[in-house]
Amino acid sequence: MSNETFGAYIKKARETINLTLRKVAAHLDIDTSTLSKVERGDRHASPDYLKPLAAILKLNLKEVQTKFIADKISKDFGGMEHLTDGLKAAEQQIKKKKK
């Protein structure tokens, strides 16, 4: 997976299959301006949009979710000195919750 942002990833996928912002936004039941802001990186996408986005853009849901998570963590916590340790601790917490 490349280093492009989640928004750039979604825009590229949308343009590859020649879908307009309006059509994708309607599928997600959001304003066109909201989707445009997500594509530009001015706004985070809601996790609720990931499955419908994957479906309309004909993308693998795992890849969409992975790109979303990586971009969000990078933007929100990328400058933190102990990010890797925090990610490991979060992974352990998630594993405990799944048991």
Side-chain angles (χ1 to χ4, degrees):
M1 198 170 289
S2 71
N3 288 330
E4 68 189 341
T5 64
F6 180 74
Y9 167 74
I10 293 303
K11 182 177 182 176
K12 182 175 156 185
R14 178 180 62 75
E15 290 176 341
T16 297
I17 59 173
N18 296 314
L19 286 178
T20 64
L21 270 170
R22 185 171 292 152
K23 180 158 182 134
V24 176
H27 182 76
L28 299 173
D29 196 26
I30 61 174
D31 291 334
T32 303
S33 63
T34 300
L35 181 57
S36 179
K37 289 175 185 173
V38 169
E39 286 187 352
R40 288 192 318 264
D42 295 338
R43 180 178 181 153
H44 284 297
S46 167
D48 297 337
Y49 302 156
L50 301 182
K51 282 185 182 179
L53 265 174
I56 195 167
L57 298 176
K58 298 176 173 76
L59 297 169
N60 177 283
L61 179 59
K62 180 180 178 180
E63 184 176 324
V64 171
Q65 287 182 346
T66 300
K67 188 66 180 169
F68 172 82
I69 292 165
D71 190 56
K72 183 143 177 64
I73 289 170
S74 176
K75 284 180 181 173
D76 291 351
F77 306 107
M80 295 186 109
E81 186 176 338
H82 301 287
L83 175 61
T84 304
D85 293 328
L87 290 172
K88 288 176 188 173
E91 182 179 26
Q92 292 304 314
Q93 287 178 356
I94 292 166
K95 285 179 181 178
K96 284 181 184 177
K97 285 182 182 180
K98 286 185 177 181
K99 288 183 180 182

Coordinates of all heavy atoms in Angstrom, one line a residue:
M1 N 0.8 -1.2 0.0 CA 0.0 0.0 0.0 C 0.9 1.2 0.0 O 1.9 1.3 0.7 CB -0.9 0.0 1.2 CG -2.1 0.9 1.1 SD -3.3 0.6 2.5 CE -3.9 -1.0 2.0
S2 N 0.5 2.2 -0.8 CA 1.4 3.4 -0.9 C 1.2 4.4 0.3 O 0.4 4.1 1.2 CB 1.0 4.1 -2.2 OG -0.3 4.7 -2.1
N3 N 2.0 5.4 0.3 CA 1.9 6.4 1.3 C 0.9 7.5 1.1 O 0.9 8.5 1.8 CB 3.3 7.1 1.5 CG 4.3 6.1 2.1 OD1 3.9 5.3 2.9 ND2 5.5 6.3 1.8
E4 N 0.0 7.3 0.1 CA -1.0 8.4 -0.2 C -2.0 8.4 1.0 O -2.2 7.5 1.7 CB -1.7 8.1 -1.5 CG -2.6 6.9 -1.5 CD -3.1 6.5 -2.9 OE1 -3.1 7.4 -3.8 OE2 -3.5 5.4 -3.0
T5 N -2.6 9.6 1.1 CA -3.6 9.8 2.2 C -4.9 9.0 1.9 O -5.1 8.6 0.7 CB -4.0 11.2 2.4 OG1 -4.6 11.7 1.2 CG2 -2.8 12.1 2.7
F6 N -5.7 8.8 2.9 CA -7.0 8.1 2.7 C -7.8 8.8 1.6 O -8.4 8.2 0.7 CB -7.7 8.0 4.0 CG -9.1 7.3 3.8 CD1 -9.1 5.9 3.6 CD2 -10.2 8.0 3.9 CE1 -10.3 5.2 3.5 CE2 -11.5 7.3 3.7 CZ -11.5 6.0 3.5
G7 N -7.8 10.2 1.8 CA -8.6 11.0 0.8 C -8.1 10.8 -0.6 O -8.9 10.7 -1.5
A8 N -6.8 10.9 -0.8 CA -6.3 10.7 -2.1 C -6.5 9.3 -2.7 O -6.8 9.2 -3.9 CB -4.8 11.0 -2.1
Y9 N -6.5 8.3 -1.8 CA -6.8 6.9 -2.2 C -8.2 6.8 -2.7 O -8.5 6.2 -3.7 CB -6.5 6.1 -1.0 CG -7.0 4.7 -1.0 CD1 -6.4 3.7 -1.8 CD2 -8.1 4.3 -0.3 CE1 -6.9 2.4 -1.8 CE2 -8.6 3.0 -0.3 CZ -8.0 2.0 -1.1 OH -8.4 0.7 -1.1
I10 N -9.2 7.4 -2.0 CA -10.6 7.4 -2.3 C -10.8 8.1 -3.6 O -11.5 7.7 -4.5 CB -11.5 7.9 -1.2 CG1 -11.4 7.0 0.0 CG2 -12.9 8.1 -1.6 CD1 -11.8 5.6 -0.2
K11 N -10.2 9.3 -3.8 CA -10.4 10.1 -5.0 C -9.9 9.4 -6.2 O -10.5 9.3 -7.2 CB -9.7 11.4 -4.8 CG -9.9 12.3 -6.0 CD -9.2 13.7 -5.8 CE -9.4 14.6 -7.1 NZ -8.9 15.9 -6.8
K12 N -8.7 8.8 -6.1 CA -8.1 8.0 -7.2 C -9.0 6.9 -7.6 O -9.2 6.6 -8.8 CB -6.7 7.5 -6.7 CG -6.0 6.8 -7.8 CD -4.6 6.5 -7.3 CE -3.9 5.3 -8.0 NZ -2.7 4.9 -7.4
A13 N -9.5 6.1 -6.6 CA -10.4 5.0 -6.9 C -11.7 5.5 -7.6 O -12.1 4.9 -8.5 CB -10.7 4.3 -5.6
R14 N -12.2 6.6 -7.1 CA -13.5 7.1 -7.7 C -13.2 7.6 -9.1 O -14.0 7.2 -10.0 CB -13.9 8.3 -6.8 CG -15.2 9.0 -7.3 CD -15.6 10.2 -6.5 NE -14.6 11.2 -6.4 CZ -14.4 12.1 -7.4 NH1 -15.0 12.1 -8.5 NH2 -13.5 13.1 -7.2
E15 N -12.1 8.2 -9.3 CA -11.9 8.7 -10.7 C -11.5 7.6 -11.6 O -11.8 7.6 -12.8 CB -10.7 9.8 -10.7 CG -11.2 11.1 -10.0 CD -10.0 12.1 -9.9 OE1 -8.8 11.7 -9.9 OE2 -10.4 13.3 -9.7
T16 N -10.9 6.5 -11.1 CA -10.5 5.4 -11.9 C -11.8 4.7 -12.6 O -11.7 4.3 -13.7 CB -9.7 4.3 -11.1 OG1 -8.5 4.9 -10.7 CG2 -9.4 3.1 -11.9
I17 N -12.9 4.7 -11.8 CA -14.1 4.1 -12.3 C -15.1 5.1 -12.8 O -16.3 4.8 -13.0 CB -14.7 3.1 -11.4 CG1 -15.1 3.8 -10.0 CG2 -13.8 1.9 -11.1 CD1 -15.9 2.9 -9.1
N18 N -14.6 6.4 -13.0 CA -15.4 7.5 -13.6 C -16.7 7.8 -12.8 O -17.7 7.9 -13.4 CB -15.7 7.2 -15.0 CG -14.4 7.2 -15.9 OD1 -13.6 8.0 -15.7 ND2 -14.3 6.2 -16.7
L19 N -16.6 7.8 -11.5 CA -17.8 8.2 -10.7 C -17.6 9.6 -10.2 O -16.5 10.1 -9.9 CB -17.9 7.3 -9.5 CG -18.4 5.9 -9.7 CD1 -18.5 5.1 -8.4 CD2 -19.8 5.9 -10.3
T20 N -18.7 10.4 -10.3 CA -18.7 11.7 -9.8 C -18.7 11.8 -8.3 O -19.2 10.9 -7.6 CB -19.9 12.5 -10.4 OG1 -21.1 12.0 -9.8 CG2 -19.9 12.5 -11.9
L21 N -18.3 12.9 -7.7 CA -18.4 13.2 -6.3 C -19.9 13.1 -5.9 O -20.2 12.5 -4.9 CB -17.9 14.6 -6.0 CG -16.5 14.8 -5.6 CD1 -16.1 16.3 -5.5 CD2 -16.2 14.1 -4.3
R22 N -20.7 13.6 -6.7 CA -22.2 13.6 -6.4 C -22.7 12.2 -6.3 O -23.5 12.0 -5.3 CB -22.9 14.4 -7.5 CG -24.4 14.6 -7.2 CD -25.0 15.6 -8.2 NE -24.5 16.9 -7.9 CZ -24.3 17.8 -8.8 NH1 -24.7 17.6 -10.0 NH2 -23.8 19.0 -8.5
K23 N -22.4 11.3 -7.2 CA -22.9 10.0 -7.1 C -22.4 9.2 -5.9 O -23.2 8.6 -5.2 CB -22.5 9.2 -8.4 CG -23.0 7.8 -8.4 CD -23.1 7.2 -9.8 CE -23.7 5.8 -9.7 NZ -24.8 5.6 -10.6
V24 N -21.1 9.3 -5.6 CA -20.6 8.7 -4.4 C -21.2 9.3 -3.1 O -21.6 8.5 -2.2 CB -19.0 8.7 -4.4 CG1 -18.5 8.1 -3.1 CG2 -18.5 8.0 -5.6
A25 N -21.3 10.6 -3.1 CA -21.8 11.2 -1.9 C -23.3 10.8 -1.7 O -23.7 10.6 -0.5 CB -21.7 12.8 -2.0
A26 N -24.0 10.7 -2.8 CA -25.4 10.3 -2.7 C -25.5 8.8 -2.1 O -26.4 8.5 -1.3 CB -26.1 10.4 -4.0
H27 N -24.6 8.0 -2.6 CA -24.6 6.6 -2.1 C -24.3 6.6 -0.6 O -24.8 5.7 0.1 CB -23.5 5.8 -2.9 CG -23.4 4.4 -2.5 ND1 -24.3 3.4 -2.9 CD2 -22.5 3.7 -1.7 CE1 -24.0 2.3 -2.4 NE2 -22.8 2.4 -1.7
L28 N -23.5 7.5 -0.1 CA -23.1 7.6 1.3 C -24.1 8.4 2.1 O -24.1 8.4 3.3 CB -21.7 8.2 1.5 CG -20.6 7.5 0.9 CD1 -19.3 8.3 1.0 CD2 -20.4 6.1 1.5
D29 N -25.0 9.0 1.4 CA -26.0 9.9 2.0 C -25.4 11.1 2.8 O -25.7 11.4 3.9 CB -27.0 9.1 2.9 CG -28.3 9.9 3.3 OD1 -28.6 10.8 2.5 OD2 -28.8 9.6 4.4
I30 N -24.4 11.7 2.1 CA -23.7 12.9 2.7 C -23.7 13.9 1.6 O -23.9 13.7 0.4 CB -22.3 12.6 3.1 CG1 -21.4 12.0 2.0 CG2 -22.3 11.6 4.3 CD1 -19.9 11.9 2.4
D31 N -23.3 15.2 2.0 CA -23.2 16.2 1.0 C -22.0 16.0 0.2 O -20.9 15.5 0.6 CB -23.0 17.6 1.7 CG -24.3 18.0 2.4 OD1 -25.4 17.6 2.0 OD2 -24.2 18.8 3.4
T32 N -22.0 16.5 -1.1 CA -20.9 16.5 -2.0 C -19.7 17.2 -1.4 O -18.6 16.8 -1.5 CB -21.3 17.1 -3.3 OG1 -22.4 16.4 -3.9 CG2 -20.1 17.0 -4.3
S33 N -20.0 18.3 -0.7 CA -18.9 19.1 -0.1 C -18.2 18.3 1.0 O -17.0 18.5 1.2 CB -19.4 20.5 0.4 OG -20.3 20.3 1.4
T34 N -18.9 17.5 1.7 CA -18.3 16.7 2.8 C -17.4 15.7 2.2 O -16.2 15.5 2.7 CB -19.4 16.0 3.6 OG1 -20.3 17.0 4.2 CG2 -18.8 15.1 4.7
L35 N -17.8 15.0 1.1 CA -16.9 14.0 0.5 C -15.7 14.7 -0.1 O -14.6 14.2 0.0 CB -17.7 13.3 -0.6 CG -16.9 12.2 -1.3 CD1 -16.3 11.2 -0.4 CD2 -17.7 11.5 -2.4
S36 N -15.9 15.9 -0.7 CA -14.8 16.6 -1.3 C -13.8 17.0 -0.2 O -12.5 16.9 -0.4 CB -15.3 17.9 -1.9 OG -14.2 18.7 -2.4
K37 N -14.2 17.4 1.0 CA -13.3 17.7 2.1 C -12.5 16.4 2.6 O -11.4 16.5 2.9 CB -14.1 18.3 3.3 CG -14.6 19.7 3.0 CD -15.4 20.2 4.1 CE -16.0 21.6 3.8 NZ -17.0 22.0 4.8
V38 N -13.2 15.3 2.5 CA -12.5 14.0 2.9 C -11.4 13.7 1.9 O -10.3 13.4 2.2 CB -13.5 12.9 3.0 CG1 -12.8 11.5 3.1 CG2 -14.5 13.0 4.2
E39 N -11.8 13.9 0.6 CA -10.8 13.6 -0.4 C -9.6 14.6 -0.4 O -8.4 14.2 -0.6 CB -11.4 13.7 -1.8 CG -12.3 12.6 -2.2 CD -12.8 12.6 -3.6 OE1 -12.6 13.6 -4.3 OE2 -13.4 11.6 -4.0
R40 N -9.8 15.8 0.0 CA -8.7 16.8 0.2 C -8.0 16.6 1.5 O -6.9 17.3 1.7 CB -9.3 18.2 0.1 CG -9.7 18.6 -1.3 CD -10.0 20.1 -1.4 NE -10.7 20.7 -0.3 CZ -12.0 20.9 -0.2 NH1 -12.8 20.6 -1.1 NH2 -12.5 21.5 0.9
G41 N -8.5 15.9 2.4 CA -7.8 15.7 3.7 C -8.2 16.8 4.7 O -7.6 16.9 5.7
D42 N -9.2 17.6 4.4 CA -9.7 18.6 5.3 C -10.6 18.1 6.4 O -10.9 18.8 7.3 CB -10.4 19.7 4.5 CG -9.5 20.4 3.5 OD1 -8.2 20.4 3.8 OD2 -10.0 21.1 2.6
R43 N -11.1 16.9 6.2 CA -12.0 16.3 7.2 C -11.8 14.8 7.2 O -11.5 14.2 6.2 CB -13.4 16.6 6.7 CG -14.5 16.1 7.6 CD -15.9 16.5 7.1 NE -16.9 15.9 8.0 CZ -18.0 16.5 8.1 NH1 -18.4 17.5 7.5 NH2 -18.9 15.9 9.0
H44 N -11.9 14.2 8.4 CA -11.9 12.7 8.5 C -13.2 12.1 8.0 O -14.2 12.7 8.3 CB -11.7 12.3 10.0 CG -10.3 12.5 10.5 ND1 -9.2 11.9 10.0 CD2 -9.8 13.3 11.5 CE1 -8.1 12.2 10.6 NE2 -8.4 13.1 11.5
A45 N -13.1 11.0 7.4 CA -14.3 10.2 7.0 C -14.8 9.5 8.3 O -14.0 9.2 9.2 CB -13.9 9.2 6.0
S46 N -16.1 9.3 8.3 CA -16.6 8.5 9.4 C -16.4 7.0 9.1 O -16.5 6.6 7.9 CB -18.1 8.7 9.4 OG -18.8 7.8 10.2
P47 N -16.0 6.2 10.1 CA -15.9 4.8 9.9 C -17.1 4.1 9.3 O -17.0 3.1 8.6 CB -15.6 4.3 11.3 CG -15.0 5.4 12.1 CD -15.7 6.6 11.5
D48 N -18.3 4.8 9.5 CA -19.5 4.2 9.0 C -19.6 4.2 7.5 O -20.3 3.5 6.8 CB -20.7 5.0 9.5 CG -20.9 4.9 11.0 OD1 -20.4 4.0 11.6 OD2 -21.5 5.8 11.6
Y49 N -18.7 5.1 6.8 CA -18.7 5.2 5.4 C -17.8 4.1 4.7 O -17.9 4.0 3.5 CB -18.1 6.5 5.0 CG -18.8 7.8 5.4 CD1 -18.1 9.0 5.5 CD2 -20.2 7.8 5.8 CE1 -18.8 10.1 6.0 CE2 -20.8 8.9 6.3 CZ -20.1 10.1 6.4 OH -20.7 11.2 6.8
L50 N -17.1 3.4 5.5 CA -16.1 2.5 4.9 C -16.7 1.4 4.0 O -16.2 1.1 2.9 CB -15.1 2.0 5.9 CG -14.3 3.1 6.7 CD1 -13.4 2.5 7.7 CD2 -13.6 4.0 5.7
K51 N -17.6 0.7 4.6 CA -18.2 -0.4 3.8 C -19.0 0.1 2.6 O -18.7 -0.5 1.5 CB -19.2 -1.2 4.7 CG -18.5 -2.2 5.6 CD -19.5 -3.0 6.4 CE -18.7 -4.0 7.4 NZ -19.6 -4.8 8.2
P52 N -19.8 1.1 2.7 CA -20.4 1.6 1.5 C -19.4 2.2 0.4 O -19.6 2.0 -0.8 CB -21.4 2.7 1.9 CG -21.5 2.5 3.4 CD -20.3 1.8 3.9
L53 N -18.3 2.8 0.9 CA -17.3 3.3 0.0 C -16.6 2.1 -0.7 O -16.5 2.2 -1.9 CB -16.2 4.1 0.8 CG -16.4 5.5 0.9 CD1 -15.3 6.1 1.8 CD2 -16.3 6.2 -0.5
A54 N -16.3 1.1 0.0 CA -15.7 -0.1 -0.6 C -16.6 -0.7 -1.7 O -16.1 -1.0 -2.8 CB -15.3 -1.1 0.4
A55 N -17.9 -0.7 -1.4 CA -18.8 -1.3 -2.3 C -18.9 -0.5 -3.6 O -18.8 -1.0 -4.7 CB -20.2 -1.5 -1.6
I56 N -19.2 0.8 -3.4 CA -19.4 1.6 -4.6 C -18.2 1.8 -5.5 O -18.2 1.9 -6.7 CB -20.1 3.0 -4.3 CG1 -20.6 3.6 -5.6 CG2 -19.1 3.9 -3.6 CD1 -21.6 4.8 -5.4
L57 N -17.0 1.8 -4.8 CA -15.7 2.0 -5.5 C -15.1 0.7 -5.9 O -14.0 0.7 -6.5 CB -14.8 2.8 -4.6 CG -15.2 4.3 -4.3 CD1 -14.2 4.9 -3.3 CD2 -15.5 5.1 -5.5
K58 N -15.8 -0.4 -5.6 CA -15.3 -1.7 -6.0 C -13.9 -2.0 -5.4 O -13.0 -2.4 -6.1 CB -15.3 -1.9 -7.5 CG -16.7 -1.8 -8.0 CD -16.7 -1.9 -9.5 CE -18.1 -2.0 -10.1 NZ -18.9 -0.8 -10.2
L59 N -13.7 -1.7 -4.1 CA -12.5 -1.9 -3.4 C -12.6 -3.0 -2.4 O -13.7 -3.2 -1.9 CB -12.0 -0.6 -2.8 CG -11.8 0.6 -3.7 CD1 -11.6 1.9 -2.8 CD2 -10.5 0.4 -4.5
N60 N -11.5 -3.5 -2.0 CA -11.4 -4.5 -0.9 C -11.6 -3.8 0.4 O -10.9 -2.9 0.7 CB -10.1 -5.2 -1.0 CG -9.9 -6.2 0.1 OD1 -9.6 -5.8 1.2 ND2 -10.0 -7.5 -0.2
L61 N -12.6 -4.3 1.2 CA -12.9 -3.6 2.5 C -11.7 -3.6 3.4 O -11.4 -2.6 4.1 CB -14.1 -4.3 3.2 CG -14.5 -3.7 4.5 CD1 -14.8 -2.2 4.4 CD2 -15.6 -4.5 5.1
K62 N -10.9 -4.7 3.5 CA -9.8 -4.7 4.3 C -8.8 -3.7 3.9 O -8.2 -3.0 4.8 CB -9.1 -6.1 4.2 CG -7.9 -6.2 5.1 CD -7.2 -7.6 5.0 CE -6.0 -7.7 5.8 NZ -5.3 -9.0 5.7
E63 N -8.6 -3.5 2.7 CA -7.6 -2.4 2.2 C -8.2 -1.0 2.6 O -7.4 -0.2 3.0 CB -7.4 -2.5 0.7 CG -6.4 -1.6 0.2 CD -6.1 -1.8 -1.3 OE1 -6.1 -2.9 -1.8 OE2 -5.9 -0.7 -2.0
V64 N -9.5 -0.8 2.4 CA -10.1 0.5 2.7 C -9.9 0.8 4.2 O -9.5 1.9 4.6 CB -11.6 0.5 2.3 CG1 -12.2 1.8 2.8 CG2 -11.7 0.5 0.8
Q65 N -10.3 -0.2 5.0 CA -10.1 0.0 6.5 C -8.7 0.2 6.9 O -8.4 1.0 7.7 CB -10.7 -1.2 7.2 CG -12.2 -1.2 7.2 CD -12.8 -2.4 8.0 OE1 -12.1 -3.4 8.3 NE2 -14.1 -2.4 8.2
T66 N -7.8 -0.6 6.3 CA -6.4 -0.4 6.7 C -5.9 0.9 6.3 O -5.2 1.6 7.1 CB -5.5 -1.5 6.0 OG1 -6.0 -2.8 6.4 CG2 -4.1 -1.4 6.3
K67 N -6.2 1.4 5.1 CA -5.8 2.7 4.7 C -6.4 3.8 5.6 O -5.7 4.8 6.0 CB -6.2 3.0 3.2 CG -5.6 4.2 2.6 CD -4.1 4.1 2.5 CE -3.5 5.4 1.9 NZ -2.1 5.4 2.1
F68 N -7.6 3.7 6.0 CA -8.3 4.6 6.8 C -7.6 4.7 8.2 O -7.3 5.8 8.7 CB -9.8 4.2 7.0 CG -10.5 5.0 8.0 CD1 -11.1 6.2 7.7 CD2 -10.7 4.5 9.3 CE1 -11.8 7.0 8.6 CE2 -11.4 5.2 10.2 CZ -12.0 6.5 9.9
I69 N -7.4 3.5 8.8 CA -6.8 3.5 10.1 C -5.4 4.1 10.1 O -5.0 4.9 10.9 CB -6.7 2.0 10.6 CG1 -8.2 1.5 10.9 CG2 -5.9 1.9 11.9 CD1 -8.3 0.0 11.1
A70 N -4.6 3.7 9.1 CA -3.2 4.2 9.0 C -3.2 5.7 8.8 O -2.4 6.4 9.5 CB -2.5 3.5 7.8
D71 N -4.0 6.2 8.0 CA -4.1 7.7 7.8 C -4.5 8.4 9.0 O -3.9 9.4 9.4 CB -5.0 8.0 6.6 CG -4.9 9.4 6.1 OD1 -3.8 9.8 5.8 OD2 -6.0 10.1 6.1
K72 N -5.5 7.9 9.7 CA -6.0 8.5 10.9 C -4.9 8.5 12.0 O -4.7 9.5 12.7 CB -7.3 7.9 11.4 CG -7.9 8.5 12.6 CD -9.4 8.5 12.6 CE -10.0 9.1 13.8 NZ -9.8 10.5 14.0
I73 N -4.3 7.4 12.2 CA -3.2 7.3 13.2 C -2.1 8.3 12.9 O -1.6 9.0 13.7 CB -2.7 5.9 13.4 CG1 -3.8 5.0 14.1 CG2 -1.4 5.8 14.2 CD1 -3.5 3.5 14.1
S74 N -1.7 8.3 11.6 CA -0.6 9.1 11.2 C -0.9 10.6 11.4 O -0.1 11.3 11.9 CB -0.3 8.9 9.7 OG 0.7 9.7 9.2
K75 N -2.1 11.0 11.1 CA -2.5 12.4 11.2 C -2.7 12.8 12.7 O -2.2 13.9 13.1 CB -3.8 12.7 10.5 CG -3.7 12.8 9.0 CD -5.0 13.1 8.3 CE -4.8 13.2 6.8 NZ -6.1 13.3 6.1
D76 N -3.3 11.9 13.5 CA -3.6 12.3 14.9 C -2.4 12.1 15.8 O -2.3 12.8 16.8 CB -4.8 11.5 15.4 CG -6.1 11.8 14.7 OD1 -6.1 12.9 14.0 OD2 -7.1 11.1 14.9
F77 N -1.6 11.1 15.5 CA -0.5 10.7 16.5 C 0.9 10.6 15.9 O 1.8 10.3 16.6 CB -0.9 9.4 17.2 CG -2.2 9.4 17.8 CD1 -3.3 8.7 17.2 CD2 -2.5 10.1 18.9 CE1 -4.5 8.6 17.7 CE2 -3.8 10.1 19.5 CZ -4.8 9.3 18.9
G78 N 1.0 10.9 14.6 CA 2.3 10.7 13.9 C 3.5 11.4 14.5 O 4.6 10.9 14.4
G79 N 3.3 12.5 15.2 CA 4.4 13.3 15.7 C 4.8 12.9 17.1 O 5.7 13.4 17.7
M80 N 4.1 11.9 17.7 CA 4.4 11.5 19.1 C 5.6 10.6 19.1 O 5.8 9.7 18.3 CB 3.2 10.8 19.7 CG 2.0 11.7 19.8 SD 0.6 10.9 20.7 CE 0.7 11.8 22.2
E81 N 6.4 10.9 20.1 CA 7.7 10.2 20.3 C 7.6 8.7 20.5 O 8.4 7.9 20.1 CB 8.4 10.9 21.5 CG 9.8 10.5 21.7 CD 10.4 11.3 22.8 OE1 9.9 12.4 23.2 OE2 11.4 10.8 23.4
H82 N 6.5 8.3 21.2 CA 6.4 6.9 21.6 C 5.2 6.2 20.9 O 4.5 5.4 21.5 CB 6.3 6.8 23.1 CG 7.4 7.4 23.8 ND1 8.7 6.8 23.9 CD2 7.6 8.6 24.5 CE1 9.5 7.5 24.5 NE2 8.9 8.6 24.9
L83 N 5.0 6.6 19.7 CA 3.9 6.1 18.9 C 3.9 4.6 18.8 O 2.9 3.9 19.0 CB 3.8 6.7 17.5 CG 2.8 6.2 16.6 CD1 1.4 6.4 17.1 CD2 2.9 6.8 15.2
T84 N 5.0 4.0 18.5 CA 5.1 2.6 18.3 C 4.8 1.8 19.6 O 4.0 0.8 19.5 CB 6.6 2.2 17.8 OG1 6.9 2.9 16.7 CG2 6.7 0.7 17.6
D85 N 5.2 2.3 20.7 CA 4.9 1.7 22.0 C 3.4 1.8 22.2 O 2.8 0.8 22.7 CB 5.7 2.3 23.1 CG 7.2 2.1 23.1 OD1 7.5 1.0 22.6 OD2 7.9 3.0 23.5
G86 N 2.8 2.9 21.9 CA 1.4 3.1 22.1 C 0.6 2.2 21.2 O -0.4 1.6 21.6
L87 N 1.0 2.0 20.0 CA 0.4 1.1 19.1 C 0.4 -0.4 19.6 O -0.6 -1.1 19.5 CB 1.0 1.1 17.7 CG 0.7 2.4 16.9 CD1 1.5 2.5 15.6 CD2 -0.8 2.6 16.6
K88 N 1.6 -0.8 20.1 CA 1.7 -2.1 20.7 C 0.8 -2.3 21.9 O 0.1 -3.3 22.0 CB 3.1 -2.4 21.1 CG 4.1 -2.5 19.9 CD 5.5 -2.7 20.4 CE 6.5 -2.7 19.2 NZ 7.9 -2.7 19.7
A89 N 0.7 -1.3 22.7 CA -0.2 -1.3 23.9 C -1.7 -1.4 23.4 O -2.5 -2.2 24.0 CB 0.0 -0.1 24.8
A90 N -2.0 -0.6 22.4 CA -3.4 -0.7 21.9 C -3.7 -2.1 21.3 O -4.8 -2.6 21.5 CB -3.6 0.4 20.8
E91 N -2.7 -2.6 20.6 CA -2.9 -4.0 20.0 C -3.2 -5.0 21.2 O -4.1 -5.9 21.0 CB -1.7 -4.4 19.2 CG -1.9 -5.8 18.6 CD -0.7 -6.1 17.7 OE1 0.5 -5.7 18.0 OE2 -0.8 -6.9 16.8
Q92 N -2.5 -4.9 22.2 CA -2.7 -5.8 23.4 C -4.1 -5.6 24.0 O -4.8 -6.6 24.3 CB -1.6 -5.6 24.4 CG -0.2 -6.0 24.0 CD -0.2 -7.5 23.5 OE1 -0.7 -8.4 24.2 NE2 0.4 -7.7 22.4
Q93 N -4.5 -4.4 24.1 CA -5.9 -4.1 24.7 C -6.9 -4.7 23.8 O -7.9 -5.3 24.2 CB -6.1 -2.6 24.8 CG -5.3 -2.0 26.0 CD -5.5 -0.5 26.1 OE1 -6.2 0.1 25.3 NE2 -4.9 0.1 27.1
I94 N -6.8 -4.5 22.5 CA -7.7 -5.1 21.5 C -7.8 -6.6 21.6 O -8.9 -7.2 21.6 CB -7.4 -4.6 20.1 CG1 -7.6 -3.1 20.0 CG2 -8.2 -5.3 19.0 CD1 -7.1 -2.4 18.8
K95 N -6.6 -7.2 21.7 CA -6.6 -8.7 21.8 C -7.3 -9.2 23.1 O -8.0 -10.2 23.0 CB -5.2 -9.2 21.8 CG -4.5 -9.1 20.4 CD -3.1 -9.6 20.4 CE -2.5 -9.5 19.1 NZ -1.1 -9.9 19.1
K96 N -7.2 -8.4 24.2 CA -7.8 -8.8 25.4 C -9.3 -8.7 25.3 O -10.1 -9.5 25.8 CB -7.3 -7.9 26.6 CG -6.0 -8.3 27.1 CD -5.6 -7.4 28.3 CE -4.2 -7.6 28.7 NZ -3.8 -6.7 29.8
K97 N -9.8 -7.6 24.6 CA -11.2 -7.4 24.4 C -11.9 -8.5 23.6 O -13.0 -8.9 23.8 CB -11.5 -6.1 23.8 CG -11.3 -4.9 24.8 CD -11.7 -3.6 24.1 CE -11.4 -2.5 25.1 NZ -11.7 -1.1 24.5
K98 N -11.1 -9.0 22.6 CA -11.6 -10.1 21.7 C -11.8 -11.4 22.4 O -12.5 -12.3 22.0 CB -10.7 -10.2 20.5 CG -10.9 -9.1 19.5 CD -10.1 -9.3 18.3 CE -10.3 -8.2 17.3 NZ -9.6 -8.5 16.0
K99 N -11.1 -11.6 23.5 CA -11.2 -12.9 24.2 C -12.4 -13.1 25.1 O -13.2 -12.6 25.4 CB -9.9 -13.1 25.1 CG -8.7 -13.3 24.3 CD -7.5 -13.6 25.2 CE -6.3 -13.8 24.4 NZ -5.1 -14.1 25.1

